[in-house]
Every structure is written in structure tokens, then in C-alpha cells.
Amino acid sequence: MRQQPVINLKGYLVGNPITDPKFDENYKIPSAHGFGIISDQIYEAAMKNCKGNYVNPTNQLCAEVLETVDSLISEIADAHVLYKKCVVAIPEPIDDAIRRKFLLEESIEPNEAPGRPTVDCFTYGYYLAYLWMNNKMTRDALRIKEGTVGEWVRCKKEVPYTQDMPSSIPYHRNLTTRGYRALVYSGDHDLQVPQLSTQAWIRSLNFSIVDDWRAWHLDGQAAGFTITYANKLTFATVKGGGHTAPEYQPEECFAMAQRWLDNKPL
């Protein structure tokens, strides 16, 4: 009988991870308040009328205040609350001007070109990635045979899967209690999966604290804050990071990951 390949798994790391809607969604409200997006009065009204349940409002007053909160959050870039709110470079119907540009540059026929952000937007890099990946020279360099692979799109909406796992917390508990090391990190300016929600579900594991909350440093400056729990579980924030922290703070994230992989304290 053929032996199955063995993966010598030692641990895992996850960043700003979607984990459980009870935590991910409910902690957006206190996080929005902490970022100064909603006022004290709105936050107090939400707490009073929603009783901590901001996912499924059970009364009209709760629904109304959550509608106000959603409207205010829509004014900012929730992936990083300090960045400009820009066109997100996701597919949209192609216009004739872009189609002509593609043909002149010997790119494949575009169907789902992303919206074009302004140059000063963080998402402009996503737009350039689309142009580069669909350029004929790039595809030739990658040895993509003509006609075998269609248009490259960064965020493909039609992913065939069914979401049947409402919470991944049991998996975190299973892996960590079996001895696998875990690093969970959060860009501290993310409102899509706020660091408060990540801290909350980690606390729900009821692991004892091994190394209490402290700053971790890079080049003599605080790069974030960290805490280590029993079962080799480490949580860390990345100061100034957004939802995809390595995109915003690559140097800090590289140092954090390198120390963790080397089994050294952050």
C-alpha cells in the first residue's frame, strides 16, 4: 500500500483572520467607537438597544442605530481606517478606452478590468497588477500557452464553494492544545476584522497567560504589542497595519514572522 505523504507541521500563523461572526462582527462597533468613527452617544445607544448583539438586531431601535453606524463606517476605508477611501480594484464592466489601450499593448482581450483608482490610492497597485498580469509579455514569460488560461482577475467572485464552517475557533483550540505553535497577528487599523475581535476569541479559549501584554520593537521603536498564552499561542498587533498587515507594514511583519519562525520572543 502506497504511503501517504507526511507533512511535518510545526505550527501556523494567521493575520487579521475571519474566525467567528459572533466576535468578528460584534467587535466592529466598539472598534469604530475607538477609532472615532462613531460618537459616544451613538455607541451608548447601540449598547443600550442592541445589548451587545450587533449581528442580528432584535428590535427597531437597535436596527436604526446600526443603520447609522453602517452609514458612518461607509465613509472610510475599513481595511485601513487612516487611508483614503478609493475605488477598490475589483472587476467591473470594461470600457472602450481601456479596451483600446489593452489592444495597443498586446494584452489579452479584457472583460473584467478593475475600476481605476487615482495614483495616490493604495489600491492603484492592484490596478497595475491587473494590467501587468494580462500583458502578453508577462504571460509569455510565465510560459502560459495561448488559449489555455483566460483573463487574470485579482479577486474572482465566482469561487465555487459553500461556507459550511461558521466558526474556526474549535480548530484553533484543537491545533494549539495538540502542541502546534500559533502566531495570530492583527494590523491595528483594520476595521474589517478588528484586533479587538481577535483578542476576544483568543481569550475565549481560556488559556493562561505566559508572557503578559508588552510592546515588541524594531529599530528601537514599538512595532506593535504582544501577549503569549499557554499552548504556545502568541498574539501580536502590528502598529499602523491594516487588514492585510504585510502590505502596509512589510518590514515590521517580516521581522515579526522571522523571530517567530526562529522560535525567538517577538
Side-chain angles (χ1 to χ4, degrees):
M1 184 176 179
R2 185 179 178 182
Q3 186 177 3
Q4 294 296 317
V6 176
I7 299 176
N8 188 17
L9 184 65
K10 297 293 186 180
Y12 65 97
L13 58 89
V14 287
N16 292 76
I18 295 174
T19 305
D20 186 310
K22 181 176 69 176
F23 295 98
D24 300 339
E25 296 300 321
N26 280 327
Y27 277 87
K28 286 183 180 179
I29 306 298
S31 297
H33 178 244
F35 284 134
I37 297 167
I38 62 175
S39 67
D40 288 345
Q41 293 87 341
I42 294 172
Y43 182 46
E44 289 165 3
M47 289 192 294
K48 177 182 177 181
N49 295 303
C50 300
K51 303 292 191 294
N53 178 11
Y54 306 119
V55 180
N56 299 305
T58 57
N59 60 73
Q60 185 63 29
L61 290 175
C62 175
E64 289 175 358
V65 73
L66 291 184
E67 186 175 348
T68 300
V69 169
D70 288 343
S71 176
L72 292 168
I73 290 177
S74 72
E75 297 285 342
I76 55 96
D78 60 355
H80 195 303
V81 299
L82 298 184
Y83 276 59
K84 291 178 63 175
K85 184 180 179 182
C86 297
V87 173
V88 179
I90 57 175
E92 62 179 27
I94 192 76
D95 62 42
D96 290 338
I98 293 180
R99 188 179 301 278
R100 287 193 297 271
K101 178 179 175 63
F102 268 68
L103 293 175
L104 287 171
E105 294 183 353
E106 293 191 317
S107 297
I108 68 168
E109 181 72 7
N111 294 307
E112 298 183 275
R116 180 172 182 169
T118 56
V119 177
D120 59 338
C121 281
F122 185 80
T123 55
Y124 189 72
Y126 303 158
Y127 175 75
L128 294 180
Y130 175 86
L131 300 179
W132 182 77
M133 283 297 295
N134 288 303
N135 186 278
K136 187 176 184 302
M137 291 179 63
T138 303
R139 295 168 71 89
D140 288 345
L142 294 173
R143 300 183 184 278
I144 298 173
K145 292 183 179 180
E146 190 171 349
T148 60
V149 179
E151 181 180 15
W152 180 87
V153 176
R154 178 175 171 268
C155 294
K156 198 71 175 176
K157 293 181 179 179
E158 299 82 19
V159 179
Y161 79 100
T162 301
Q163 185 173 349
D164 58 359
M165 189 178 70
S167 173
S168 60
I169 293 176
Y171 295 87
H172 288 289
R173 182 186 300 278
N174 180 39
L175 289 171
T176 51
T177 54
R178 290 172 62 187
Y180 295 106
R181 298 174 62 230
L183 170 61
V184 183
Y185 65 88
S186 288
D188 64 4
H189 282 72
D190 176 27
L191 193 55
Q192 291 184 357
V193 183
Q195 55 93 11
L196 289 181
S197 69
T198 304
Q199 288 196 63
W201 70 254
I202 290 175
R203 287 198 307 274
S204 76
L205 298 173
N206 291 319
F207 293 167
S208 59
I209 296 173
V210 174
D211 185 10
D212 213 342
W213 190 264
R214 62 172 177 82
W216 66 276
H217 299 85
L218 181 65
D219 297 330
Q221 297 291 322
F225 296 85
T226 183
I227 185 171
T228 302
Y229 293 89
N231 298 310
K232 304 175 183 177
L233 171 61
T234 297
F235 170 74
T237 66
V238 179
K239 190 176 71 171
H243 182 59
T244 46
E247 277 193 292
Y248 298 92
Q249 300 292 79
E251 187 177 1
E252 288 81 355
C253 287
F254 179 79
M256 174 185 66
Q258 188 67 62
R259 294 172 193 176
W260 184 78
L261 289 170
D262 289 342
N263 207 12
K264 296 178 180 178
L266 297 189

